[in-house]
């Protein structure tokens, strides 16, 4: 006989947890991108819930060379690729005095009129495709990671950008999440900030330290490729499921 196993790798914690916990008990195995919510899932009746962060695909997420025209389009000191949100607009508007380029859905329509940030927005409101995102990351001195739940009081849960930027050998500044030190060596493979004041200080420091920045970016890519590809994640899933089956779960 064939035993069917239902699994879900949920990508939208913590901000969509209320919906997620309502469906999680329907699955034999549930995987979340937020380690702090494991106990909450268990309390809601979910069985076999595990923390599983995202990853990168080295065939896609890699450093690429740009043509002269692409250099003009994508080259920046600071780059952010991601959907618009109020907190992201607030943070990036405070950085509009830098050579910043912003790409992603919603920015052209949602950034307030009169904001200096409007002139930093590039592309269409459909955002960037995968190949274009890789070019933007490859051409930036610093890639900014601003989780949607930054400044919400939560310091847990990690997004895709953390691994995709690393795979592109981009130097990354991310808002602090408690899982990050278990995934990357902070200060050696990437850097983290806890508030906008620290973010600005780190930007000024790393823009002035090109060799340090490039060394950290290289080490970040090495870590991403050695531990954080989607092949690694599939292997983790199989180990968890096989372990559960051997215990009769």
């Amino acid at each position: 006989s064939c035993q069917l196993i239902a699994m879900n790798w949920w990508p939208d914690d913590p901000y969509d947890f209320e919906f997620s916990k309502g469906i999680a008990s329907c699955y034999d195995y549930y995987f979340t991108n937020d380690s702090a919510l494991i106990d909450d899932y268990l309390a809601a009746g979910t069985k076999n819930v595990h923390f599983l962060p995202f990853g990168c695909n080295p065939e896609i997420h890699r450093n690429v060379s740009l043509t002269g025209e692409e250099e003009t389009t994508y080259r920046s000191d600071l780059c952010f690729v991601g959907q618009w949100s109020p907190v992201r607009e607030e943070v990036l508007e405070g950085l509009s005095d830098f050579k910043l380029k912003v790409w992603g859905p919603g920015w052209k329509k949602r950034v307030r009129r009169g904001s200096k940030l409007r002139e930093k927005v590039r592309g269409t409101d459909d955002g960037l495709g995968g190949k274009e995102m890789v070019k933007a990351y490859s051409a930036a001195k610093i890639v900014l990671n601003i989780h949607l739940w930054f400044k919400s009081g939560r310091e847990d849960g990690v997004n895709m950008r953390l691994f995709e930027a690393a795979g592109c050998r981009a130097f990354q500044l991310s808002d602090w999440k408690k899982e990050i030190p278990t995934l990357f060596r902070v200060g050696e493979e990437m850097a983290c900030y806890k508030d906008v004041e620290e973010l600005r200080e780190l930007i000024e420091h790393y823009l002035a330290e090109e060799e340090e920045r490039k060394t950290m970016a290289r080490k970040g890519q090495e870590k991403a490729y050695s531990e954080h590809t989607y092949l690694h994640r599939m292997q983790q899933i199989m180990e968890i499921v096989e372990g559960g089956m051997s215990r009769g779960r």
Side-chain angles (χ1 to χ4, degrees):
S1 63
C2 180
Q3 180 181 1
L4 296 179
I5 298 174
M7 295 181 287
N8 187 324
W9 187 358
W10 182 252
D12 293 329
D13 280 333
Y15 58 89
D16 216 1
F17 170 70
E18 290 303 315
F19 174 82
S20 177
K21 74 176 182 180
I23 64 171
S25 61
C26 299
Y27 296 89
D28 298 301
Y29 291 87
Y30 207 75
F31 300 92
T32 171
N33 61 303
D34 189 335
S35 64
L37 290 175
I38 298 295
D39 288 342
D40 297 274
Y41 277 112
L42 292 173
T46 308
K47 298 179 181 179
N48 295 325
V49 58
H50 301 269
F51 171 58
L52 190 71
F54 299 107
C56 68
N57 181 344
E59 294 185 6
I60 298 173
H61 305 117
R62 55 192 178 88
N63 190 267
V64 297
S65 299
L66 277 64
T67 65
E69 183 178 354
E70 289 171 336
E71 284 274 353
T72 301
T73 300
Y74 295 106
R75 180 65 60 192
S76 67
D77 283 357
L78 304 181
C79 165
F80 178 78
V81 181
Q83 72 185 70
W84 175 90
S85 77
V87 70
R88 286 172 169 173
E89 179 177 341
E90 177 187 346
V91 172
L92 293 175
E93 185 173 28
L95 302 175
S96 57
D97 55 318
F98 289 101
K99 294 178 181 178
L100 165 69
K101 292 183 179 179
V102 179
W103 313 79
W107 290 96
K108 285 187 175 292
K109 294 179 180 178
R110 306 296 293 274
V111 174
R112 67 177 180 82
R113 294 185 181 275
S115 170
K116 294 180 180 179
L117 186 59
R118 291 183 72 88
E119 64 188 48
K120 307 292 184 178
V121 177
R122 298 291 189 271
T124 70
D125 233 27
D126 294 329
L128 285 181
K131 292 182 179 179
E132 288 73 30
M133 179 191 73
V134 167
K135 292 175 184 177
Y137 285 172
S138 296
K141 293 180 180 178
I142 296 175
V143 169
L144 300 173
N145 192 353
I146 309 168
H147 287 73
L148 278 171
W149 51 101
F150 176 54
K151 298 181 73 173
S152 69
R154 296 203 68 106
E155 292 189 342
D156 47 87
V158 289
N159 59 20
M160 295 181 185
R161 190 178 300 101
L162 182 70
F163 305 97
E164 294 171 347
C168 293
R169 205 196 312 149
F171 173 77
Q172 180 178 186
L173 274 175
S174 175
D175 53 315
W176 172 266
K177 296 291 176 262
K178 72 172 192 175
E179 294 94 344
I180 292 179
T182 70
L183 301 165
F184 292 94
R185 291 178 295 174
V186 178
E188 296 183 41
E189 297 167 340
M190 60 165 297
C192 290
Y193 59 92
K194 290 192 174 182
D195 53 50
V196 292
E197 291 78 13
E198 185 179 19
L199 172 58
R200 174 171 282 272
E201 291 174 1
L202 289 171
I203 289 171
E204 292 174 347
H205 169 79
Y206 285 112
L207 284 178
E209 298 293 340
E210 181 177 6
E211 287 307 313
E212 181 183 13
R213 196 176 67 235
K214 289 183 175 180
T215 297
M216 291 172 67
R218 175 179 53 78
K219 290 181 177 179
Q221 185 188 52
E222 290 171 355
K223 175 60 70 66
Y225 283 4
S226 64
E227 296 185 17
H228 302 310
T229 69
Y230 281 109
L231 177 59
H232 291 112
R233 298 298 182 249
M234 293 304 103
Q235 291 170 338
Q236 288 175 269
I237 289 174
M238 293 306 299
E239 290 171 1
I240 290 170
V241 172
E242 289 173 358
M245 292 179 67
S246 69
R247 293 189 296 271
R249 293 182 180 179

